[in-house]
Amino acid sequence: MEMNPLKAKDGEKIALMGNEAIARGALEGGVWIAVGYPGTPSSEVIMTLQEFGAEIYAEWAVNEKVALEIGIGASIGGARSLVTMKGPGLNIASDPLLSASYSGVDGGLLILVADDPGPITTQTEQDSRWYGPLAKLPLISPSNPQEAKDYTVIGLELSERVQLPVILRTTTRVNHAIGEVVLGKISEPRKFRSFKKDPQRFIRAGMTWNLERHRWLNERLVEFEKLAESFSLNRVEGNGEKCIITEGIGYQYVKEFLLNKIESGEKFRILKLGLLYPFPRDFLRKALRGCKETIVVEELDPFLETFLRSELLTFGFSTRIIGKDSGHLPKEGELDLEKLRNLLLGGQNVKDRSLDSAVPIEVPPRPPPLCPGCPHRNSYLGILGGIARAGFSRKDIPIFGDIGCYALSAYPPLSAIWTEHSMGASISMAMGLKLSGFEKPVVATIGDSTFFHTGIQPLIEAVNKRVDMLVVILDNQVVAMTGHQATPSWTKTETGRDVKEVKIEEIVQGIGVDELKIVDPYDLDSMVKAVADSINKRGVKVIISRAPCAILEARRKGRPAYYTVIEDKCTGCLACLRATGCPALYVNEKGKVSIFEEDCYGCALCARYCPTKAIVRGDSVGKKD
Amino acid sequence: MGRKINILISSVGGQGGLSLSRMIAEASRLAGYSIATGETLGMAQRFGSVKSFVRVGIGEKVYSPIFHKNEANYMLCLEIIECARNLEYLDTLLGWIILSYDFRPPVSASLLPSKEKIDSSLLLRRILSYSGERAVLIDPKEVREISGSSRAINASILGAFVEISKIFDDSHAMTAIELVLRNQKAVESSRKAYIFGKSLKGIGDAYSPRRLI
Ligand code: SF4
Ligand code: SF4
C-alpha cells in the first residue's frame, strides 16, 4: 500500500488531515512554489510537502509578507504558487496582498489563510474573510478535507484563468480534521513561462494608470463570479421554505443535525456556499426565492449575514434573517453546537440529551507548560535573578514578551512576561513605554525566529532613537512553538536544501547596538550576571541567550542525562517545584517530590534549588538511563 | 440504516493520543467506513490536556468532526485526570470507558497553595461509577513490560477497543498502526501492546460486552 499521501494514486481514497489534503491539492494543481511562515493551524501544509518529499520548491520564508511576495513574483512569471499562513500572518502580508489585486498574476496563485475560532492557539478571533472585500480578491472556503483538496485545485485554476490571486480561507476544524479524501491526478508543476515588462501592471506607486487597473480589477471580479458558477462552488440541497445559508465547518454541523430531518421530509433548504467573495448575488437571488426564513450559520463574524442584509432589498423579496446580528447565534467562540441545535430544531420538542450528561468531576486545569529542560525557563530565571541582583524588585521592571513558546513563561511559577502582543512587538512596545516617561529599566524578550520575522526593524528603531533597554534574544535555533520549523540560521532546510546561515549576532552588531553578549542559559549564574551588569546601562544592550530547544535536541541526539529524587532526603519543601515548574516533577502520595524519569531532560535546574541535595543524576545512584 | 460511533480520546500531550486517533481514522478508511476527527494540535510542547474527537460512520456518512456531551460511545483515556475532565462526553447509559490508568498530576496543580491532593484511586473509582461494568482498565506498567515501550500504550487501548466494539478486523488495525508509526521498532512494540489490549476483558465479567453494544 502507498503510505505517501503525495504519491498515492489518482482515484484512491485515503484518510487525510485537511492540511495534508491541501498539500496534495497543491500537487494536483501543479504548484511549483510553496512558501509560507509557520502558524497554527496552517503549518502542516508546507510540513507535509517537505516530509513526503514533494519535488517542488517547498520552504519556509522569514515572514508572511516575504512569502507572499515570493509567491507573487513566481506567479507573474507564469509559475503556479501556494502561500500559507495563519490569520494574523495575513495582516503582516496585507500590504502586498492589496497591491496584488491590481497587478494580477499569470500563473495561479493561491493564498491559504487559516483562522482559529475559539480561539484555540491564536491571539484573536480574527475573521480573515473580510480580506476578500478589503483586497478585492476572490475568496473560497472549504468545509472538510475533501473540499480542502478540491478547492486548492479549483482555486489555482480559477486564479490563473481570471488572473487574480485567490484566497483559500479555512478554520481549525477543517485544517486539523481528518476525513476520507478521494485523490485526483497529480499534474506537472507549472514553472516559469515568461515575464514581460509591463509598467501599467507592475508599477503601482501613485501612477495615473492605477485607476485603470482598479477598473480592470472590478471587471475581473464580475468575471470570476460567473466562472466560479461552472465549478459548482455553491449549491442548494433540499427545497423547503426554511432556508439555511452556511459555509465551511458550519455546513458539516448543519448536515449532521438535519440529515435525518430532511430525509423524513422536513422542509429545509440548505444553501452551501464555497465562494464567499465576490458575494454570489446571482446564485442567492435564485436560490433564496420562496424562503420564508433564512438562517445564516457561520463562525466568527456575521460576514455572510451582513452581505445578505445589504443585498436583500435588491433581490426584491423579503425573508426573515436569523443569525448573529439578530442575536440568535453568539459572535464569539467556536460555533456552539448546543445552541445551533436548538436554533435549527427549536420548538420541535427535541430532547437535548446533553442535559443528562455526567456531572464532570472537578480536576485541576492542565495549561501547557514549558517542556522539561526548556532553555527558556533558564533564560527567564536568569532575567528575574538579574533584575533582583541589580537591586530592583521584579514588580518594578516590566518584561515585554513576544510570540513563541516563551510566552508560556506568563504562567506561574515564572510569571515572567508582562505583555505578549503581536509578532515582534516586544522591543517596540518597550520603547514606547520608555518614551512615555517610564524611568526604570525595561526588558524586551524575543525568540530567534520572531526576531528574524519582525524583530529586526524595532531593534533598528530603538538603536536609532537611543532608547535605553535590555533586549534578550531567546535563541533556541528553531521555530519551536509551531512544530520545529527551520529559521534562517540553519545551514540545511527540512528538504535538504543547502542554505546560507544568517547569524543573529552579525545582524545585531550591524545595527550598532551599544553592547552585545552571548550567553548559555544553562549556565544560570552567567545569565544572572549578564542581566545584572547590563540592565542599568545606557543604550540598547542585547543578550543572545543561546541553547537549542530541549525537546528537539532530545529527539535528535537523546537527552544528556536524567535526574532522580532520593526520597529519604526530600523534605517535601517543594522548593524545586516552586522555582522551576518543570512538568517532569510531581508531588507523590507521601507529599514528597518525584520525577517522571522518562520525561526529565537532565538539565539539573531543579537540583540547584533543592536545599537538602535530594535531587541527583540518575546514573550517580546506579539507575540506568 | 447504518450507525455512527463517537469516540473521545483524552490524554496528556506527548502520550500518543493524537496517534491513536489517527490509527482509528486509518483503520476506518481501510474498513470502508466514513471518518471525521476533530482535534487541536500544532503546539510543540507536551504536557497540556489533549482531547480528540473521532467519529466513525458504518454504512452512513459522518459530517461533523465533533459531537456533544453525553454522546461518546467510547472514551479512550491515557490518563486518569484527563479521563475525569471529559466525563461529561460519555454516554452514561451505554458508553464504554477504556482507561490506561497512568496518573500524571499537572505540575501547576502542585503549585496551588494548600490544595487538596488528588487521590488517584478515589478518582478512578468515581470515573468507574459512571461507566459501571462497561470499562476496561489497562495497567500502563504491564504494557511497558510486555511491549518494551511506554509509547505503545495507545496501541493497547486500540486493541481493547477493537475487542469490545468489533468494528475492525485485526488486519486493518495492524495496517493502521504501521501507516501511522512508519517505524519498524515502534510497530513491533505496538503490535505486542495491541495483542495484550485485545486479551483484556471488561471489569464486569457478569456482563458480556457483546450484549451491551
Ligand atoms: S518546544 Fe522547545 S522551546 Fe518550546 S517549550 Fe518545549 S523545549 Fe521549550
Ligand atoms: S533535571 Fe529537573 S528541572 Fe531539569 S528536566 Fe529534569 S526534572 Fe526538570
Side-chain angles (χ1 to χ4, degrees), chain A residues 61-218:
Chain A
V62 68
N63 69 28
E64 294 86 354
K65 170 173 149 64
V66 172
L68 179 54
E69 286 155 355
I70 293 172
I72 293 168
S75 289
I76 60 175
R80 284 200 175 181
S81 23
L82 169 71
V83 183
T84 74
M85 60 199 71
K86 70 185 299 177
L90 191 53
N91 304 342
I92 303 278
S94 59
D95 193 11
L97 184 79
L98 270 79
S99 283
S101 45
Y102 281 51
S103 308
V105 293
D106 297 277
L109 169 59
L110 190 71
I111 301 160
L112 166 70
V113 55
D115 280 341
D116 187 28
I120 301 168
T121 53
T122 304
Q123 55 267 51
T124 64
E125 284 198 294
Q126 159 171 341
D127 192 334
S128 300
R129 291 179 298 177
W130 298 108
Y131 273 110
L134 177 63
K136 303 189 101 162
L137 284 178
L139 186 141
I140 57 180
S141 163
S143 71
N144 64 9
Q146 177 76 58
E147 283 185 356
K149 180 192 80 64
D150 295 344
Y151 282 24
T152 301
V153 182
I154 294 172
L156 285 158
E157 184 63 34
L158 282 171
S159 161
E160 191 155 316
R161 285 216 222 158
V162 192
Q163 290 179 278
L164 288 179
V166 170
I167 302 173
L168 178 73
R169 190 271 195 169
T170 54
T171 57
T172 308
R173 295 283 177 208
V174 173
N175 295 98
H176 283 170
I178 298 172
E180 64 267 32
V181 175
V182 180
L183 303 179
K185 205 164 152 289
I186 293 197
S187 42
E188 251 332 278
R190 315 281 175 87
K191 303 188 191 178
F192 172 78
R193 283 197 307 252
S194 70
F195 180 48
K196 281 195 218 67
K197 193 169 181 184
D198 185 350
Q200 309 215 355
R201 264 190 74 188
F202 300 121
I203 298 181
R204 288 281 70 77
M207 296 295 176
T208 44
W209 52 64
N210 282 341
L211 187 68
E212 215 25 69
R213 289 307 288 180
H214 192 182
R215 197 165 290 134
W216 171 86
L217 168 60
N218 286 334

Side-chain angles (χ1 to χ4, degrees), chain A residues 370-371 374-376 405 476 480 484 549-551, chain B residues 44-45:
Chain A
L370 290 168
C371 299
C374 175
H376 295 326
C405 288
N476 64 359
H484 300 113
C549 165
I551 202 163
Chain B
Q45 311 84 4

Side-chain angles (χ1 to χ4, degrees), chain A residues 51 256 359 366 405 599, chain B residues 4 64 82 104 130 182:
Chain A
E51 190 183 333
E256 194 72 52
V359 186
R366 194 189 295 272
C405 288
D599 296 331
Chain B
K4 290 177 188 170
S64 166
E82 292 314 308
R104 314 284 316 242
Y130 285 93
R182 294 192 284 147

Side-chain angles (χ1 to χ4, degrees), chain A residues 121-332:
Chain A
T121 53
T122 304
Q123 55 267 51
T124 64
E125 284 198 294
Q126 159 171 341
D127 192 334
S128 300
R129 291 179 298 177
W130 298 108
Y131 273 110
L134 177 63
K136 303 189 101 162
L137 284 178
L139 186 141
I140 57 180
S141 163
S143 71
N144 64 9
Q146 177 76 58
E147 283 185 356
K149 180 192 80 64
D150 295 344
Y151 282 24
T152 301
V153 182
I154 294 172
L156 285 158
E157 184 63 34
L158 282 171
S159 161
E160 191 155 316
R161 285 216 222 158
V162 192
Q163 290 179 278
L164 288 179
V166 170
I167 302 173
L168 178 73
R169 190 271 195 169
T170 54
T171 57
T172 308
R173 295 283 177 208
V174 173
N175 295 98
H176 283 170
I178 298 172
E180 64 267 32
V181 175
V182 180
L183 303 179
K185 205 164 152 289
I186 293 197
S187 42
E188 251 332 278
R190 315 281 175 87
K191 303 188 191 178
F192 172 78
R193 283 197 307 252
S194 70
F195 180 48
K196 281 195 218 67
K197 193 169 181 184
D198 185 350
Q200 309 215 355
R201 264 190 74 188
F202 300 121
I203 298 181
R204 288 281 70 77
M207 296 295 176
T208 44
W209 52 64
N210 282 341
L211 187 68
E212 215 25 69
R213 289 307 288 180
H214 192 182
R215 197 165 290 134
W216 171 86
L217 168 60
N218 286 334
E219 284 162 16
R220 297 277 83 193
L221 283 174
V222 175
E223 185 67 18
F224 189 92
E225 198 188 322
K226 280 193 219 126
L227 201 58
E229 274 294 285
S230 59
F231 284 87
S232 318
L233 290 167
N234 307 319
R235 65 170 183 268
V236 182
E237 297 171 19
N239 53 12
E241 292 181 339
K242 224 176 183 190
C243 300
I244 299 168
I245 297 186
T246 185
E247 63 100 0
I249 194 65
Y251 168 74
Q252 303 294 338
Y253 297 152
V254 167
K255 284 294 277 188
E256 194 72 52
F257 290 137
L258 295 187
L259 190 62
N260 301 331
K261 290 264 144 203
I262 287 179
E263 274 171 2
S264 62
E266 282 285 338
K267 293 287 180 210
F268 276 104
R269 189 191 311 178
I270 303 175
L271 282 61
K272 198 273 188 190
L273 301 188
L275 170 67
L276 308 193
Y277 188 84
F279 189 66
R281 288 188 186 81
D282 287 343
F283 167 81
L284 285 172
R285 184 179 290 123
K286 281 181 224 136
L288 278 173
R289 193 155 293 280
C291 290
K292 290 239 163 65
E293 188 176 272
T294 303
I295 307 174
V296 188
V297 177
E298 57 188 328
E299 260 183 334
L300 299 178
D301 296 342
F303 176 82
L304 295 176
E305 189 179 344
T306 303
F307 270 95
L308 187 63
R309 283 185 196 283
S310 74
E311 288 298 326
L312 213 55
L313 280 176
T314 70
F315 287 174
F317 53 80
S318 66
T319 167
R320 183 170 165 240
I321 299 174
I322 294 178
K324 296 186 177 226
D325 274 336
S326 67
H328 289 84
L329 282 172
K331 288 182 178 170
E332 311 82 20

Side-chain angles (χ1 to χ4, degrees), chain A residues 1-3 12-17 20 40-41 43-44 51-52 120-121 144 172-173 176-180 249 251-253 255-257 259-260 263 334-335 337-338 341 352-372 404-406 408 412-413 480-484 551 555 574 577-579 581-591 596 598-599, chain B residues 1 4 11-13 18 21-22 25-26 29-30 32-51 53 55 60-71 79-82 84-94 102-113 115 117-120 123 126-127 129-130 144 149-151 175 178-182:
Chain A
M1 180 182 311
E2 183 52 74
M3 288 160 57
E12 239 185 273
K13 187 195 262 189
I14 63 178
L16 287 182
M17 195 204 295
E20 295 167 338
T40 310
S43 316
E44 293 84 2
E51 190 183 333
F52 291 98
I120 301 168
T121 53
N144 64 9
T172 308
R173 295 283 177 208
H176 283 170
I178 298 172
E180 64 267 32
I249 194 65
Y251 168 74
Q252 303 294 338
Y253 297 152
K255 284 294 277 188
E256 194 72 52
F257 290 137
L259 190 62
N260 301 331
E263 274 171 2
E334 279 197 87
L335 259 190
L337 295 183
E338 328 271 334
R341 174 162 57 187
D352 190 348
R353 291 195 54 221
S354 67
L355 296 177
D356 302 334
S357 64
V359 186
I361 300 176
E362 215 176 293
V363 285
R366 194 189 295 272
L370 290 168
C371 299
C405 288
Y406 45 100
L408 299 173
M481 175 92 125
T482 44
H484 300 113
I551 202 163
R555 238 174 255 163
L574 307 192
L577 218 147
R578 283 206 186 95
C582 172
L585 299 168
Y586 69 101
V587 183
N588 66 23
E589 261 102 72
K590 296 180 203 131
F596 291 115
E598 277 181 10
D599 296 331
Chain B
M1 255 297 262
K4 290 177 188 170
S11 63
V12 179
L18 295 177
S21 105
R22 191 85 205 218
E26 291 291 352
R29 192 257 309 177
L30 291 164
Y33 304 150
S34 171
I35 175 79
T37 77
E39 53 215 25
T40 47
L41 46 90
M43 297 254 280
Q45 311 84 4
R46 301 142 69 202
F47 309 102
S49 296
V50 180
K51 173 170 78 182
F53 297 88
R55 309 193 64 224
E60 183 167 325
K61 188 166 162 54
V62 284
Y63 290 92
S64 166
I66 57 179
F67 50 81
H68 293 162
K69 290 171 188 158
N70 203 16
E71 284 190 349
E79 200 272 342
I80 297 178
I81 297 174
E82 292 314 308
R85 189 186 312 285
N86 292 318
L87 269 177
E88 51 192 344
Y89 284 96
L90 182 72
D91 174 345
T92 41
L93 283 179
L94 291 171
D102 232 329
F103 179 58
R104 314 284 316 242
V107 63
S108 46
S110 337
L111 292 168
L112 301 173
K115 252 271 168 139
K117 261 207 301 309
I118 316 166
D119 180 337
S120 58
L123 204 52
R126 291 189 59 191
I127 292 172
S129 73
Y130 285 93
R144 267 180 220 123
S149 161
S150 53
R151 322 241 349 118
T175 310
E178 280 166 32
L179 284 170
V180 173
L181 296 180
R182 294 192 284 147

